[in-house]
Amino acid sequence: MVAKPPTAVTFLAAVLSLVTPSAAGPLASSKRGLVFTPNTTFPSDNYIWTQQPSDLTWYYNYKPLPSPEFNNVTQAAFEFVPMLWGAPQSWDSDTTFVTTVESLIKDRNINISRVLTFNEPDGPTMYGGSDIAPRVAAQVWVNNIIPLQKLGLEVGLPACTGGYSGIPWLTEFLGNCSLILSSADEVRNCTYDFVPLHWYGNFEGLASHIGEYSAAFPNKTIWITEYNLDHQDLADTQNFYNTSAEYFDRLPSVERYSLFGAFRSDVSNVGPNAAMLNKDGQLTDIGAWYLGRPGTGIDPLSGTGASLGRLAASPRVSAALLGSLLAVSTVALLSF
C-alpha cells in the first residue's frame, strides 16, 4: 500500500501550528539568566539562547571564563558571571581564579562585576557537587574571593544543594572563614552580597526553601541559580514553571534566577518535560516562555534526535518566510 502525500490543507495546518502560540506563561523578566551547558553534538543549539527576542540578561557556565559561543554579544547585553566551581588541588595557596578574573577585566576589558562561588560543595561529585570541606573552601575563598572584593566585585555565597546539609555547611564555612581572618585583637568575617541556592522539587518546597535561606541570611538578596521540577508529567512541570516564575518576578528578595533546562529532552538529567528543547532542538513551551516569547506548543518528547532547522526553534516566523510557505501550500492545493 502506497501512502498518499499530504494535502495542501494538511501542510497549511502544519505551518500555522508553528506560528500559533499556546497559552503563554509569565513572559518578560529582567531577572532571568541562562545556566549554559554547551551541546557539542548539535552546536547550533548553543546559539538559540541569544537569538532575539530573548529576555535573558545574564549567564554562567560553571567556569571562570566566558563561553566563546557568546563572543558576539556584549557584556552589557548578556552579562557573564564567572564561577569558582570547586577547590584547586593546591587549595591552600592557589590563586588561579582571582588572576583569571583580573585578566578578564584588565586584559580583555570585560566588565565583570559579580562572581559565583563553589557549586554544591555539600554534595558528592557523582551528582555534580564539588564536595569541599568547609575549612578548605574558606581558605580558597580568602585566597581568591577577598582580592576580588577589594576590586569592587559583588560575590555570592557558595550554592549548596537543596538538601538539609546546605545551611549547616554554610554556617561552618563562614565560621572557618572567621578563624582564618581573625586575630587575638580583632574578629573579622567573610562578607558576601547575595545568596545563591538550588532546588529540585515542587513549588511549595521551593518557597519554603527560599524562606529558610532568607531567615538564615537576612537582608541579602537571593539568586536561584539552579531549579526545576524534575521527572514529572508535562502539565505539572509547566504549572511549576509558571507559578515559580511569577513568584520570583514579584518577590523583591529574589534578584536573579536561572532555570536548569537549557538542553534537549533526550539528554535531560531532570526528566524530558523539564527540558527547554525537544529531541530536535526546538523550543518547547517552557523554553519559549523562559525567553519571553509566546509558547510553541511543541511536546518535549517529540522529534527524532536530529537537527531539523530553525523554523520551529522560534515561535515567531518572519512574514516573508510565512508568505513563501503559504505560496507553496497554494501551489500544492492547485495541483490536487
Side-chain angles (χ1 to χ4, degrees):
M1 181 177 179
V2 179
K4 294 181 179 179
T7 67
V9 174
T10 303
F11 179 79
L12 181 57
V15 170
L16 292 177
S17 72
L18 297 177
V19 295
T20 304
S22 58
L27 296 183
S29 174
S30 61
K31 297 182 180 183
R32 248 170 250 161
L34 175 69
V35 189
F36 183 57
T37 53
N39 188 335
T40 56
T41 305
F42 299 109
S44 61
D45 287 5
N46 300 327
Y47 301 92
I48 291 173
W49 316 112
T50 52
Q51 288 181 351
Q52 296 303 312
S54 174
D55 253 10
L56 305 186
T57 59
W58 66 282
Y59 81 100
Y60 77 99
N61 58 10
Y62 300 102
K63 298 176 182 179
L65 291 173
S67 298
E69 290 85 354
F70 307 131
N71 282 346
N72 64 327
V73 186
T74 66
Q75 180 76 348
F78 195 47
E79 178 189 354
F80 170 63
V81 182
M83 171 181 272
L84 173 59
W85 184 85
Q89 187 172 3
S90 302
W91 58 268
D92 56 338
S93 58
D94 190 286
T95 57
T96 301
F97 183 76
V98 64
T99 56
T100 299
V101 175
E102 286 178 340
S103 177
L104 291 177
I105 297 170
K106 297 176 181 177
D107 300 331
R108 294 178 56 177
N109 295 316
I110 299 176
N111 183 26
I112 303 296
S113 58
R114 303 170 180 88
V115 295
L116 296 165
T117 62
F118 305 131
N119 184 70
E120 299 192 351
D122 58 322
T125 54
M126 66 181 294
Y127 295 122
S130 53
D131 194 14
I132 314 172
R135 67 178 184 84
V136 171
Q139 187 62 62
V140 177
W141 176 289
V142 169
N143 294 344
N144 290 272
I145 300 303
I146 291 180
L148 293 176
Q149 289 179 307
K150 291 178 180 178
L151 294 177
L153 274 67
E154 296 181 4
V155 304
L157 273 182
C160 289
T161 66
Y164 295 112
S165 59
I167 292 176
W169 188 96
L170 289 169
T171 301
E172 188 174 346
F173 160 76
L174 290 170
N176 277 276
C177 248
S178 183
L179 287 175
I180 294 170
L181 295 175
S182 298
S183 65
D185 300 323
E186 181 185 13
V187 175
R188 296 176 58 199
N189 298 308
C190 284
T191 61
Y192 51 93
D193 299 283
F194 56 93
V195 182
L197 57 84
H198 292 178
W199 180 259
Y200 294 96
N202 61 29
F203 173 75
E204 293 76 15
L206 170 61
S208 176
H209 194 58
I210 293 173
E212 290 174 356
Y213 270 73
S214 295
F217 307 101
N219 304 316
K220 298 295 181 182
T221 55
I222 300 289
W223 289 26
I224 300 95
T225 50
E226 277 188 30
Y227 80 102
N228 216 320
L229 179 64
D230 54 327
H231 304 287
Q232 300 299 317
D233 64 39
L234 183 57
D236 286 343
T237 308
Q238 290 183 336
N239 288 336
F240 168 83
Y241 169 75
N242 289 332
T243 303
S244 59
E246 188 277 333
Y247 184 65
F248 296 157
D249 290 340
R250 66 179 170 83
L251 202 63
S253 61
V254 173
E255 183 177 2
R256 289 183 169 184
Y257 62 93
S258 48
L259 183 71
F260 186 78
F263 33 72
R264 297 190 180 200
S265 60
D266 55 349
V267 296
S268 171
N269 62 351
V270 289
N273 292 319
M276 294 192 216
L277 303 175
N278 78 342
K279 295 177 183 179
D280 293 334
Q282 300 169 324
L283 284 167
T284 64
D285 279 334
I286 290 176
W289 293 337
Y290 195 70
L291 294 181
R293 306 176 186 178
T296 60
I298 292 174
D299 188 330
L301 294 172
S302 65
T304 61
S307 184
L308 298 180
R310 308 317 297 261
L311 178 60
S314 173
R316 299 186 182 181
V317 181
S318 70
L321 179 57
L322 181 57
S324 298
L325 291 170
L326 292 176
V328 171
S329 69
T330 301
V331 171
L333 180 61
L334 293 174
S335 64
F336 278 96

